[in-house]
């Protein structure tokens, strides 16, 4: 993370050496730090907050093995008009912010055109195809198996038209990429989820994804594994990063840390570092919200479940049933405006017996999004020792370990197990 950090007044003047600095202790940064430490690097992981306390904290808890096709920008005029009304759960925007992000939205819309979107999905697929296996490696190494479910997740449909359309898309993913799924009738859904209302005509169960009962706890488990490998985690300010005669230096509460190489895994804050270095990524932000609820009475939600037409998600996590919203286009640092959550809660209470809220206030986070929906993974083209790992949009949790492995392999001279050409920063005019 960037900005001021706790304990800044305690900075020492003694420079601490490292071989690699990783800036950002979300799931991407922690996974990268692990893979570098496994390869013998002396790694210092730096964040202004605790590990996994920003974007990685609040998500639906899915390792989305089925997520081959990244979330595109709507193309149909009628759909754009409906979103323009700004009264939905799955999308909300701050009108005053739209002029600022118009260039990003225009490129996002352009890349989401059906033929281009299909090409992007093919470039994205290798990352997604390795998401579960790469997490499995770290889950076993960190002893985090109790946090993981392996029964997939469910999309529930209110109309036969939507059901049939999504099932057809699922068949295409099965044919082209081997993604498993199962169609559920209304009766089968009721048997699977007896406490859901009867608003749904059926469902689709994705069988390949894994679920995470506490995403923050998973990031912490990975952090502890990193530390067991000899890695060091310290609080510091990414905005103090500067190039030196021998590499890179950043200020931390324990003093300046200097290393020949640094990885920027800063999510939606990445441009605060890349811009001063002369890189002009067209990086957008999608904000999102969540709230935990207690189930009413003896109600049980067995599966991670999405109300497809309404555009919200219910996830039975360790801290309660987590309700998550869609995307909000707003300034990253603007005050919270959880209108989507309020809209979703009203509908969610109609389909499942939710009791009281369990959080003092709604959680809000920001997802970093590139206009072509692909992450930025690779070496900076104009600076020695500078590496990028950000822009994972809705799939940061999903792609943390696979990204970490690819970056570590490239940095240590190994041949990356996947060709990273499609995700290199040079694809943009930076």
């Amino acid at each position: 993370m960037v900005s001021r950090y706790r304990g800044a007044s305690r900075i020492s003047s003694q420079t601490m050496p490292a071989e690699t600095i990783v800036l950002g202790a979300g799931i991407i940064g922690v996974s990268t730090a692990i893979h570098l430490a496994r390869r013998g690097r002396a790694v210092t992981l730096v964040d202004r907050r605790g590990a996994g306390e920003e974007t990685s904290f609040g998500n639906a808890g899915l390792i989305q093995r089925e997520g081959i096709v990244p979330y595109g920008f709507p193309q149909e005029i009628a759909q754009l008009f409906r979103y323009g009304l700004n009264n939905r759960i799955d999308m909300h925007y701050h009108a005053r912010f739209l002029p600022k992000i118009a260039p990003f939205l225009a490129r996002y819309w352009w890349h989401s055109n059906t033929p281009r979107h299909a090409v992007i999905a093919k470039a994205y697929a290798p990352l997604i195809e390795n998401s579960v296996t790469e997490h499995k490696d770290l889950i076993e190494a960190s002893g985090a198996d109790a946090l993981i479910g392996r029964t997939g997740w469910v999309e529930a449909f209110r109309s036969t038209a939507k059901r049939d359309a999504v099932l057809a898309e699922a068949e295409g993913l099965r044919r082209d990429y081997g993604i498993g799924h199962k169609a559920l009738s209304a009766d089968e859904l009721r048997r699977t989820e007896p406490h859901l209302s009867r608003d749904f005509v059926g469902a689709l169960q994705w069988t390949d994804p894994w679920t995470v009962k506490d995403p923050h706890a998973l990031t912490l488990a990975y952090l502890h594994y990193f530390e067991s490998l000899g890695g060091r985690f310290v609080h510091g300010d990414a905005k103090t990063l500067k190039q030196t005669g021998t590499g890179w230096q950043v200020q931390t509460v324990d003093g300046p840390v200097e290393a020949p190489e640094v990885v920027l895994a800063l999510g939606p804050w990445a441009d605060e570092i890349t811009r001063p270095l002369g890189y002009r990524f067209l990086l957008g932000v999608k904000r999102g919200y969540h709230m935990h609820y207690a189930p009413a009475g003896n109600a049980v939600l067995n599966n991670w479940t999405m109300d497809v037409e309404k555009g919200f998600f219910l996830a039975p996590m360790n801290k309660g049933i987590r309700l998550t919203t869609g995307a909000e286009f707003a300034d990253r640092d603007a005050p919270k405006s959880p209108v989507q959550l309020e809209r979703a809660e009203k509908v969610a209470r109609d389909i499942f017996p939710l009791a009281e809220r369990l959080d003092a206030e709604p959680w809000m986070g920001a997802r970093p999004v590139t206009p072509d929906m692909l992450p930025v993974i690779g070496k900076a083209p104009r600076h020695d020792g500078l590496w990028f790992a950000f822009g994972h949009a809705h799939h940061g949790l999903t792609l943390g370990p696979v990204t970490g492995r690819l970056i570590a392999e490239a940095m240590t001279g190994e041949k990356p197990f996947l060709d990273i050409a499609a995700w290199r920063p040079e694809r943009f005019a930076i």
Side-chain angles (χ1 to χ4, degrees):
M1 295 306 104
V2 296
S3 189
R4 295 294 296 172
Y5 53 92
R6 294 190 291 260
S9 62
R10 293 179 283 126
I11 289 178
S12 164
S13 60
Q14 184 176 355
T15 299
M16 296 177 291
E19 290 180 288
T20 309
I21 299 167
V22 177
L23 295 179
I27 192 70
I28 305 293
V30 173
S31 298
T32 300
I34 286 172
H35 279 286
L36 286 165
R38 279 180 165 183
R39 287 158 176 79
R41 288 288 184 94
V43 183
T44 298
L45 178 65
V46 179
D47 200 302
R48 73 180 177 108
R49 299 186 60 178
E53 291 186 1
E54 293 280 8
T55 303
S56 297
F57 186 90
N59 53 69
L62 294 174
I63 302 172
Q64 285 193 259
R65 175 63 183 84
E66 90 297 343
I68 296 291
V69 182
Y71 294 95
F73 196 92
Q75 298 290 294
E76 299 177 2
I77 297 299
Q79 191 177 15
L80 288 170
F81 176 78
R82 289 193 295 272
Y83 282 121
L85 297 175
N86 210 21
N87 60 2
R88 299 174 62 91
I89 294 171
D90 57 342
M91 199 281 288
H92 179 70
Y93 61 87
H94 290 185
R96 63 185 177 275
F97 184 62
L98 292 183
K100 181 178 178 180
I101 59 167
F104 165 78
L105 292 177
R107 297 303 296 171
Y108 185 17
W109 175 84
W110 188 85
H111 283 292
S112 299
N113 175 269
T114 300
R116 286 184 284 272
H117 205 182
V119 172
I120 287 167
K122 288 182 180 179
Y124 199 51
L127 291 171
I128 293 293
E129 287 168 347
N130 288 277
S131 59
V132 167
T133 53
E134 291 302 311
H135 262 289
K136 181 176 183 291
D137 174 21
L138 300 194
I139 288 165
E140 292 176 351
S142 63
D145 193 69
L147 296 172
I148 305 302
R150 294 173 172 80
T151 58
W153 64 281
V154 170
E155 295 190 57
F157 306 108
R158 294 171 177 265
S159 69
T160 56
K162 188 65 174 178
R163 178 199 63 193
D164 294 346
V166 176
L167 284 173
E169 293 171 0
E171 281 300 322
L173 289 175
R174 187 203 300 272
R175 179 188 66 246
D176 297 338
Y177 298 102
I179 304 298
H181 73 274
K182 180 168 61 175
L184 302 177
S185 68
D187 287 340
E188 288 171 325
L189 178 61
R190 291 186 195 112
R191 287 194 293 271
T192 301
E193 296 292 355
H195 293 103
L196 272 185
S197 72
R198 300 202 170 191
D199 292 74
F200 302 103
V201 301
L204 180 151
Q205 182 175 10
W206 297 105
T207 56
D208 295 336
W210 287 5
T211 53
V212 182
K213 300 171 187 177
D214 186 336
H216 184 221
L218 183 66
T219 304
L220 290 178
Y222 288 2
L223 174 70
H224 296 151
Y225 173 52
F226 163 66
E227 291 175 326
S228 77
L229 296 172
R232 178 177 56 175
F233 173 52
V234 296
H235 293 292
D237 186 350
K239 288 205 294 188
T240 65
L241 181 70
K242 66 178 182 179
Q243 195 168 19
T244 68
T246 57
W248 298 87
Q249 185 183 95
V250 65
Q251 297 292 333
T252 78
V253 295
D254 294 335
V257 178
E258 189 164 330
E261 295 187 291
V262 61
V263 181
L264 301 188
L266 292 166
W269 292 271
D271 62 350
E272 293 195 15
I273 309 303
T274 58
R275 279 187 174 275
L277 293 172
Y279 298 98
R280 295 294 184 265
F281 292 102
L282 198 58
L283 191 67
V285 168
K286 292 182 182 179
R287 305 200 313 179
Y289 298 85
H290 81 228
M291 172 62 67
H292 292 100
Y293 300 82
N298 64 348
V300 175
L301 185 66
N302 293 307
N303 290 279
W304 272 242
T305 303
M306 182 178 185
D307 184 334
V308 174
E309 280 92 340
K310 297 298 183 180
F312 67 89
F313 208 94
L314 292 175
M317 294 194 176
N318 289 347
K319 295 181 179 179
I321 295 175
R322 179 179 288 187
L323 187 159
T324 70
T325 65
E328 180 182 61
F329 291 96
D331 189 273
R332 186 196 64 205
D333 300 322
K336 296 178 183 179
S337 52
V339 295
Q340 291 164 283
L341 187 66
E342 294 162 6
R343 295 167 186 161
E345 182 178 323
K346 292 176 182 178
V347 180
R349 290 187 181 280
D350 289 337
I351 68 165
F352 185 84
L354 296 174
E356 71 276 11
R357 289 184 169 193
L358 298 178
D359 304 326
E361 61 178 299
W363 177 90
M364 184 195 76
R367 310 176 187 97
V369 188
T370 64
D372 66 359
M373 295 158 279
L374 297 173
V376 179
I377 302 173
K379 186 182 183 302
R382 298 191 298 274
H383 290 81
D384 290 337
L386 178 64
W387 296 78
F388 297 146
F390 57 82
H392 293 75
H394 295 261
H395 289 151
L397 174 63
T398 296
L399 299 179
V402 65
T403 299
R405 178 178 170 185
L406 288 169
I407 284 285
E409 288 174 341
M411 292 179 69
T412 56
E414 298 178 45
K415 180 181 179 180
F417 80 106
L418 299 174
D419 183 358
I420 65 174
W423 317 308
R424 288 186 182 276
E426 290 93 336
R427 72 183 190 269
F428 297 112
I430 54 174

